[in-house]
Amino acid sequence: MSDSENSTTHFGFKQVDKNQKVNMVADVFHSVAGKYDLMNDVMSLGIHRLWKRFTIDCSGVRSGQRVLDLAGGTGDLTAKFSRIVGKSGQVVLSDINDSMLKVGRDRLRDSGIVGNVEVVQANAESLPFPDNHFDLVTIAFGLRNVTDKDAALRSIYRILKPGGRLLVLEFSKPENENFSKVYDWYSFNVLPQMGKLIANDSESYQYLAESIRMHPDQETLKSMMQDAEFDQVEYFNLTGGIVALHRGFKF
Amino acid sequence: MPTAQLLSSIIESALNQLLSMDEASNARLLKLEGKKVIVDVMEFPQALALHFSDQVFVGMLSRDDETSFVKDSDLYLKADLNTLLELQDSSQITRLIKADKVQINGDINLAQHVASLFKDLNIDWEQQIANHVGDVAAYHISSLFKKFKSDFSEFGQSVSNIVKDAALEEKKIAAHPLLVEEFVTQVHELSAQTDMLEQKINQLSSQRKQ
């Protein structure tokens, strides 16, 4: 969370100038984009696919709807939503990082999914979409990297239609202390080594482990969503609380 | 580990694999394009959502969100497993609805299209096997399987005959159909004679009163 009284914020465990954070995050994702999907599968043993399925299951998505996949990067959620909303619906794949979007665009084209998907580079803190525009906004493993999360939540609220919902899938705090210790060991000892071996980049995965610890816990994020005027906010812990899905509505 | 999602991904993969093995599936899927069907089988821990496009996407829905199931689908079906199997016969639908054994909201024709998507699957298994092991091996495997199926069917019939004979002739725990038929005829004759006797008694009673 950022310190509003001065212009610094956290980048993992480091304190950096707020203006620098977005570029530092950009560097991380330019670096990991090429091996992003592979690393997700290796690090989570494929379980990230099930977390994302759970997100779709909680979305209530229907044919003909308009969906924004924010910080959607390489487009795996977009690909699924595209099939579900069909020709009469639309999916916007949006990310601040153009390297990630390039991977996403190529992947979607290779899967034969093009017709109802639009790709837009944008900053979650100030989204370039009209008010009351989307039925559903999802942000999967992206909110953690946003400098001003409150601004992003307010921006998302604005562009949602009345009755629409926000789903935030993100790393969170494990429920059990012993499990938390095992998870910490895995994050700080195994992940950076995997990053070095597979992506030749241990620093980005060090940032991953650190940024997870700096992200708000379940209750704090729930309050932040309520402060941004979301209604009926609730969260669901997955895999012992390593990941949480937060859901809120705009009424 | 989100177990429900693991299960739905396995089911989805299997369904799409089966559909891809029959070219005629595309036309049947087209009738369902863009539709969302929620099937709530009471014995299962969660409800199933089927989204149809050029493929099927299978989702799992928590019953905590049950109040939105009707609004969130083109067809919503809630029943126990036995009833769901009975629903394959469309002539049973009205009876089952009247007996409160199934709740259906939405377009009922969709149910028939969904059933036909899987019931009408016509997969050339020999060709599918041939894609992996070659034509000759596939032919032999297929012939072997057909022979096994025929032998098993004969064996089953033979066992059925043995049990029937044992029940009728050896252990005499069941009556022979011809004996049952003779018994029923005798009972009808007795009933007719009893009716005639009753009429005669009534006639004599009324004559005596006079």
Side-chain angles (χ1 to χ4, degrees):
Chain A
M1 280 176 281
S2 58
D3 184 345
S4 57
E5 289 192 350
N6 63 37
S7 61
T8 61
T9 184
H10 57 83
F11 177 78
F13 289 161
K14 302 187 194 56
Q15 279 293 114
V16 300
D17 198 273
K18 258 190 205 172
N19 296 327
Q20 271 190 312
K21 176 163 176 171
V22 68
N23 292 329
M24 294 173 84
V25 170
D27 286 343
V28 165
F29 283 92
H30 285 310
S31 175
V32 303
K35 295 267 170 74
Y36 186 77
D37 293 326
L38 172 64
M39 280 300 294
N40 283 347
D41 276 334
V42 172
M43 289 188 294
S44 70
L45 305 173
I47 298 172
H48 76 102
R49 294 165 185 265
L50 304 183
W51 295 330
K52 284 165 183 161
R53 267 192 171 266
F54 183 80
T55 304
I56 298 172
D57 288 347
C58 290
S59 70
V61 65
R62 298 282 304 274
S63 166
Q65 286 188 336
R66 197 182 281 137
V67 177
L68 172 63
D69 182 11
L70 188 54
T74 56
D76 45 5
L77 271 177
T78 292
K80 297 262 191 232
F81 281 131
S82 168
R83 288 205 148 89
I84 295 172
V85 303
K87 290 181 205 143
S88 56
Q90 190 195 29
V91 185
V92 177
L93 168 63
S94 181
D95 201 289
I96 197 171
N97 188 284
D98 60 7
S99 298
M100 294 285 282
L101 281 180
K102 186 175 181 309
V103 173
R105 207 185 275 115
D106 288 346
R107 176 219 193 104
L108 291 169
R109 199 171 33 237
D110 290 345
S111 315
I113 293 170
V114 284
N116 63 355
V117 175
E118 194 185 334
V119 179
V120 174
Q121 188 174 6
N123 185 330
E125 294 172 15
S126 52
L127 292 164
F129 303 109
D131 296 359
N132 305 318
H133 192 68
F134 290 99
D135 297 285
L136 171 69
V137 176
T138 58
I139 177 165
F141 305 112
L143 190 65
R144 193 178 81 251
N145 301 303
V146 174
T147 311
D148 188 343
K149 295 174 184 48
D150 295 305
L153 291 171
R154 287 193 299 270
S155 190
I156 293 167
Y157 188 85
R158 179 183 64 74
I159 62 169
L160 268 173
K161 288 180 186 173
R165 69 186 80 177
L166 164 64
L167 293 171
V168 180
L169 181 70
E170 190 53 87
F171 290 107
S172 199
K173 297 290 176 282
E175 294 166 289
N176 174 276
E177 212 181 298
N178 290 331
F179 184 54
S180 188
K181 288 179 180 152
V182 173
Y183 176 52
D184 283 347
W185 175 85
Y186 179 74
S187 299
F188 288 102
N189 293 285
V190 179
L191 292 189
Q193 294 307 317
M194 273 181 188
K196 190 170 177 182
L197 201 64
I198 296 172
N200 198 28
D201 179 1
S202 62
E203 279 180 25
S204 295
Y205 294 93
Q206 183 69 25
Y207 164 74
L208 167 67
E210 291 177 8
S211 64
I212 289 171
R213 272 88 198 152
M214 299 306 294
H215 185 66
D217 66 14
Q218 286 86 334
E219 284 293 327
T220 309
L221 182 54
K222 180 178 172 181
S223 300
M224 289 168 72
M225 287 174 68
Q226 286 167 334
D227 290 343
E229 297 188 69
F230 285 96
D231 288 299
Q232 287 184 18
V233 181
E234 59 181 328
Y235 61 83
F236 309 93
N237 279 328
L238 303 172
T239 317
I242 289 180
V243 168
L245 178 72
H246 282 70
R247 180 173 70 180
F249 292 84
K250 175 175 176 175
F251 288 135
Chain B
M1 161 78 82
T3 326
Q5 280 66 40
L6 178 61
L7 187 59
S8 65
S9 81
I10 292 170
I11 295 170
E12 179 183 304
S13 193
L15 289 180
N16 285 317
Q17 186 68 19
L18 284 172
L19 288 172
S20 71
M21 291 182 193
D22 178 4
E23 281 173 10
S25 296
N26 290 333
R28 291 194 284 268
L29 270 172
L30 207 57
K31 287 186 189 149
L32 293 162
E33 194 179 4
K35 301 296 181 193
K36 179 175 176 180
V37 175
I38 295 181
V39 182
D40 191 355
V41 181
M42 275 137 64
E43 287 89 339
F44 294 176
Q46 297 200 327
L48 275 175
L50 304 174
H51 300 258
F52 296 95
S53 59
D54 59 342
Q55 295 179 352
V56 183
F57 178 86
V58 178
M60 289 288 194
L61 304 178
S62 162
R63 290 201 178 90
D64 292 341
D65 294 330
E66 198 173 5
T67 49
S68 68
F69 284 177
V70 172
K71 171 175 75 68
D72 274 353
S73 63
D74 295 293
L75 172 70
Y76 170 61
L77 271 171
K78 180 175 180 172
D80 61 43
L81 192 56
N82 278 335
T83 309
L84 207 65
L85 294 168
E86 280 185 80
L87 277 170
Q88 287 181 87
D89 179 0
S90 52
S91 66
Q92 298 299 310
I93 292 176
T94 314
R95 178 184 69 79
L96 290 167
I97 293 174
K98 282 187 175 162
D100 261 341
K101 295 192 86 178
V102 62
Q103 181 186 340
I104 301 182
N105 293 85
D107 184 355
I108 201 140
N109 290 324
L110 276 183
Q112 288 167 345
H113 290 316
V114 175
S116 121
L117 183 65
F118 299 107
K119 268 169 53 179
D120 295 348
L121 267 176
N122 183 16
I123 298 174
D124 184 350
W125 288 106
E126 191 173 324
Q127 182 57 52
Q128 293 299 326
I129 295 168
N131 292 340
H132 297 282
V133 301
D135 289 341
V136 174
Y139 171 74
H140 286 299
I141 291 170
S142 180
S143 304
L144 206 65
F145 181 74
K146 280 175 190 156
K147 185 171 186 315
F148 174 74
K149 199 171 152 189
S150 154
D151 287 349
F152 190 76
S153 177
E154 272 179 40
F155 175 71
Q157 189 60 44
S158 168
V159 166
S160 175
N161 288 339
I162 290 170
V163 167
K164 192 180 87 180
D165 286 344
L168 289 176
E169 310 295 345
E170 283 192 37
K171 303 290 180 188
K172 296 193 192 326
I173 54 177
H176 197 284
L178 287 173
L179 288 175
V180 171
E181 203 181 311
E182 195 187 335
F183 175 72
V184 167
T185 307
Q186 288 174 354
V187 167
H188 283 149
E189 280 176 13
L190 186 59
S191 177
Q193 286 167 3
T194 310
D195 286 341
M196 278 174 57
L197 188 59
E198 191 182 8
Q199 278 178 19
K200 191 108 180 147
I201 291 170
N202 288 338
Q203 196 182 9
L204 288 169
S205 280
S206 60
Q207 277 175 359
R208 198 162 175 245
K209 279 176 188 165
Q210 286 166 6

